[in-house]
Amino acid sequence: MVTLNPKHVQGLSNLGYLTMMINSDATTSLNYINQAIALDPDYEQAHINKAAVYASQSRWYEATEALEFFIKHHPNAKKSKTTLRKIEQAVK
């Protein structure tokens, strides 16, 4: 999907998430996800995936920061708020 259309936001975001979960490659993963966010800063799942990558490395500050940034600009973002609560509970 990404090879055929390198500007496919959902594909880039999902590829980034899968790259981390399968290959544990945070650098490449965040590169894909950041590309998705650059193309569509309002795509919520990309921000959630970014937070998940950080959380999988116990980088809690960056994980919460990624979600808080999105929520600040989208106060009704229920999925991001739910994910943020889960991350905050994991840190406790």
Side-chain angles (χ1 to χ4, degrees):
M1 182 182 312
V2 174
T3 304
L4 298 175
N5 184 353
K7 293 186 178 184
H8 191 277
V9 174
Q10 183 179 6
L12 286 166
S13 177
N14 290 342
L15 183 58
Y17 179 81
L18 290 172
T19 298
M20 184 60 194
M21 296 307 123
I22 295 170
N23 298 330
S24 299
D25 183 350
T27 302
T28 302
S29 176
L30 291 170
N31 183 39
Y32 286 128
I33 293 169
N34 286 330
Q35 286 178 52
I37 291 170
L39 290 168
D40 184 0
D42 296 322
Y43 183 55
E44 183 177 18
Q45 190 61 48
H47 294 271
I48 292 170
N49 288 349
K50 186 174 186 174
V53 170
Y54 286 133
S56 71
Q57 297 185 301
S58 299
R59 293 169 62 183
W60 306 114
Y61 178 78
E62 289 108 323
T64 57
E65 188 175 60
L67 292 170
E68 287 172 347
F69 176 82
F70 186 80
I71 293 167
K72 178 180 176 184
H73 293 76
H74 302 85
N76 296 323
K78 292 180 184 179
K79 286 175 61 177
S80 290
K81 288 180 179 182
T82 299
T83 304
L84 179 59
R85 280 193 299 273
K86 288 179 182 178
I87 290 171
E88 290 172 341
Q89 289 172 355
V91 175
K92 291 181 181 180

